[in-house]
Amino acid sequence: MNRLRELWESAWDRIAASALGQKAWAHYESAAPREQLILQLLGAFLLLLIVVLVVMLPLHQYHQNAVASYLQQQETLTWMQANRALVGSAAPSARKPGDSLLTIANQSARAAGLTFKRYEPNGEKGLNLWLEKVPFNQVVTWLAALERTYGVVAVEFSASRRDEAGFVDVRVSLEG
């Protein structure tokens, strides 16, 4: 509050020190009391007009924009909630009702030219797989095809380099 008062006094001192400010003050001092009242009312009106134009209108516009944005986002949320079921079923799965995760992983890995060194179940819907000395790009392509075709995703993946360029040992956990 003190800072605002200092700024106001500093601005007032600059205006009073200027030639135009001194002329205006001299005119005000020499005016009749009725004219001084009119000038005070005019000054108050101008100050009010400045506050409205510089402060209130931008705040009102900001509020209107915020409300419009909120309503638009609310509408988008409602649409997304109404169409939630469509998004979940958008990717058709080539998985047959009786196929186990191991069967799908094994058949797709063979088709991709990969073989498992070891495998073990991981919970009800999971499978841990180990592959040794396999081409990295081939593994990534196989995992992408598994997700795209069967909806099976890799939830954990680790690969360690081999001496031969491009080949890795892989441990992957699948779910789906």
Side-chain angles (χ1 to χ4, degrees):
M1 194 68 172
N2 286 337
R3 178 73 178 140
L4 186 62
R5 185 182 306 151
E6 289 173 12
L7 287 173
W8 174 256
E9 289 174 359
S10 172
W12 190 253
D13 289 343
R14 285 187 198 159
I15 292 171
S18 70
L20 183 61
Q22 289 176 354
K23 242 182 171 179
W25 187 251
H27 178 72
Y28 175 79
E29 291 276 320
S30 65
R34 188 174 180 155
E35 288 178 357
Q36 286 181 350
L37 179 63
I38 291 172
L39 288 172
Q40 288 173 354
L41 290 174
L42 181 63
F45 174 75
L46 288 175
L47 183 64
L48 181 66
L49 185 65
I50 288 171
V51 167
V52 167
L53 292 176
V54 173
V55 176
M56 300 303 287
L57 285 179
L59 283 176
H60 179 70
Q61 187 64 37
Y62 176 79
H63 178 262
Q64 293 294 91
N65 291 344
V67 167
S69 175
Y70 171 77
L71 291 174
Q72 182 182 10
Q73 289 177 8
Q74 191 70 26
E75 198 174 293
T76 302
L77 176 65
T78 304
W79 179 87
M80 289 171 79
Q81 288 174 338
N83 293 300
R84 182 183 314 183
L86 295 175
V87 173
S89 64
S93 177
R95 193 173 195 168
K96 295 178 185 118
D99 288 348
S100 71
L101 183 56
L102 178 59
T103 303
I104 292 169
N106 196 20
Q107 288 175 352
S108 62
R110 272 195 219 133
L114 301 169
T115 54
F116 306 141
K117 165 119 168 102
R118 185 175 141 210
Y119 65 88
E120 70 181 28
N122 182 5
E124 289 184 30
K125 292 186 173 184
L127 181 66
N128 294 333
L129 302 171
W130 287 263
L131 298 91
E132 284 188 354
K133 200 172 180 181
V134 291
F136 179 77
N137 291 342
Q138 216 169 330
V139 172
V140 172
T141 304
W142 168 64
L143 290 173
L146 260 179
E147 184 173 357
R148 184 177 53 253
T149 308
Y150 300 102
V152 175
V153 294
V155 291
E156 288 183 32
F157 179 87
S158 66
S160 52
R161 279 193 305 184
R162 299 285 294 206
D163 292 335
E164 196 174 339
F167 283 82
V168 292
D169 291 338
V170 173
R171 183 193 173 281
V172 63
S173 295
L174 301 177
E175 277 189 10

